[in-house]
Amino acid sequence: MSNPCDPMLGAEDPAIPHRRRKHALPGRPVAPQMDNDCRRCPVRGVSLFGDLPDEVVFSLNNPAEHLDLPAGHVLYREGAAANAAFTLKDGVIKLTRTAVNGRDQILRLLTRGDVMGAEGLMGLAYNHTATTLTPVQICRLPLPVLKQLQAEHPTLNHALLARWAVALQQVENLALELGTKKASERLATFLLYWRAKNGHYPSMPLPLSRTETGELLGLTVETVSRFFADWKRRGYLSEKAGIIHLHNLEALETLSGSESLSRI
């Protein structure tokens, strides 16, 4: 089965399931199975269509395509011609770029409500690779449709610019937080940031290996592994099947050495 998002990537696309099993995480609701009906989309308020009036959304006749994708699926690749923008409805996606040494560097982790691939509106190729880290539900909007909506509804432009501004501010704030910190402070800061990004629930998916976490934070895999092991022994956190549980927020906040995490 070819990749509905990018025909060029069809050769590496596994069969895409239309339904997926949902697991409830302690203290947070299970994401519902969604479709392409914009009128009842639970993330519409934080999507690109959030600023469009109801009557406009209802008149669009559901131009987006809903996709259920497995973990490890490459949605698009850095440098490929951009042909669609995407809203992440549920799950986790990583954005990476290839460094000069040929290694992939994680730029951002995306969660529910995040938008990706909209650089095509400016005639640009995709400037990163998007890969699913968990099973995801996404909304795919072809760029010709998005450009038409832009022309007809200027509020969509404002929504898109606001999204880019918020994303840039989050990246800059996190970089500032991490840039001058010691190793333990970086890891604790990231875990608290990731908790906030996931709705402040006590349990959240963290589908990163120790190596990937180290690359994201500029730490060695040995350092990351050592702190995780120590904090587990102290009861600060626990992990199971890609889910991390933060048990002692006060201890992690102290370890982070920060008083400005709310800005991230």
Side-chain angles (χ1 to χ4, degrees), residues 45-143:
V46 293
S47 72
L48 289 178
F49 290 170
D51 288 346
L52 294 181
D54 288 347
E55 59 270 20
V56 172
V57 174
F58 297 162
S59 70
L60 295 178
N61 195 26
N62 302 329
E65 179 182 8
H66 174 84
L67 299 172
D68 289 289
L69 302 176
H73 181 91
V74 177
L75 193 60
Y76 56 80
R77 289 194 179 278
E78 177 185 354
N83 56 14
F86 306 84
T87 296
L88 180 56
K89 296 178 176 180
D90 185 48
V92 182
I93 286 177
K94 68 175 179 179
L95 303 183
T96 60
R97 293 192 69 177
T98 303
V100 177
N101 61 7
R103 297 181 62 180
D104 287 340
Q105 175 64 46
I106 299 177
L107 303 176
R108 290 180 62 204
L109 298 179
L110 305 184
T111 56
R112 183 175 181 174
D114 283 333
V115 175
M116 71 208 91
E119 54 265 35
L121 288 172
M122 298 182 290
L124 302 176
Y126 291 123
N127 60 16
H128 46 250
T129 297
T131 307
T132 63
L133 291 177
T134 66
V136 302
Q137 298 186 67
I138 64 170
C139 175
R140 178 183 184 270
L141 190 64
L143 285 182

Side-chain angles (χ1 to χ4, degrees), residues 24-256:
L25 299 183
R28 68 187 299 165
V30 177
Q33 180 64 38
M34 306 176 213
D35 55 28
N36 72 328
D37 191 338
C38 298
R39 295 170 298 179
R40 60 171 181 252
C41 177
V43 299
R44 179 188 152 199
V46 293
S47 72
L48 289 178
F49 290 170
D51 288 346
L52 294 181
D54 288 347
E55 59 270 20
V56 172
V57 174
F58 297 162
S59 70
L60 295 178
N61 195 26
N62 302 329
E65 179 182 8
H66 174 84
L67 299 172
D68 289 289
L69 302 176
H73 181 91
V74 177
L75 193 60
Y76 56 80
R77 289 194 179 278
E78 177 185 354
N83 56 14
F86 306 84
T87 296
L88 180 56
K89 296 178 176 180
D90 185 48
V92 182
I93 286 177
K94 68 175 179 179
L95 303 183
T96 60
R97 293 192 69 177
T98 303
V100 177
N101 61 7
R103 297 181 62 180
D104 287 340
Q105 175 64 46
I106 299 177
L107 303 176
R108 290 180 62 204
L109 298 179
L110 305 184
T111 56
R112 183 175 181 174
D114 283 333
V115 175
M116 71 208 91
E119 54 265 35
L121 288 172
M122 298 182 290
L124 302 176
Y126 291 123
N127 60 16
H128 46 250
T129 297
T131 307
T132 63
L133 291 177
T134 66
V136 302
Q137 298 186 67
I138 64 170
C139 175
R140 178 183 184 270
L141 190 64
L143 285 182
V145 175
L146 191 52
K147 289 179 178 179
Q148 180 181 350
L149 290 173
Q150 271 191 307
E152 296 175 353
H153 306 286
T155 53
L156 194 60
N157 290 321
H158 299 321
L160 188 57
L161 288 174
R163 282 307 190 85
W164 276 334
V166 169
L168 179 60
Q169 185 179 41
Q170 288 180 342
V171 171
E172 289 180 343
N173 286 345
L174 184 60
L176 181 63
E177 282 290 318
L178 299 177
T180 59
K181 293 194 170 190
K182 298 182 296 185
S184 59
E185 293 174 335
R186 291 186 196 180
L187 183 55
T189 296
F190 169 70
L191 292 176
L192 293 172
Y193 158 79
W194 191 238
R195 174 179 176 269
K197 184 95 169 125
N198 281 269
H200 297 275
Y201 290 109
S203 301
M204 58 202 173
L206 185 60
L208 291 178
S209 67
R210 296 290 190 259
T211 299
E212 290 173 320
T213 302
E215 290 174 351
L216 180 63
L217 301 177
L219 304 173
T220 66
V221 61
E222 294 81 8
T223 297
V224 173
S225 298
R226 184 173 68 254
F227 283 125
F228 265 108
D230 180 48
W231 295 350
K232 285 181 181 179
R233 285 194 300 269
R234 295 174 183 269
Y236 298 166
L237 56 84
S238 60
E239 292 177 291
K240 186 176 181 180
I243 305 300
I244 188 167
H245 311 266
L246 303 184
H247 304 297
N248 193 331
L249 294 178
E250 184 177 354
L252 290 172
E253 287 168 355
T254 299
L255 285 167
S256 74

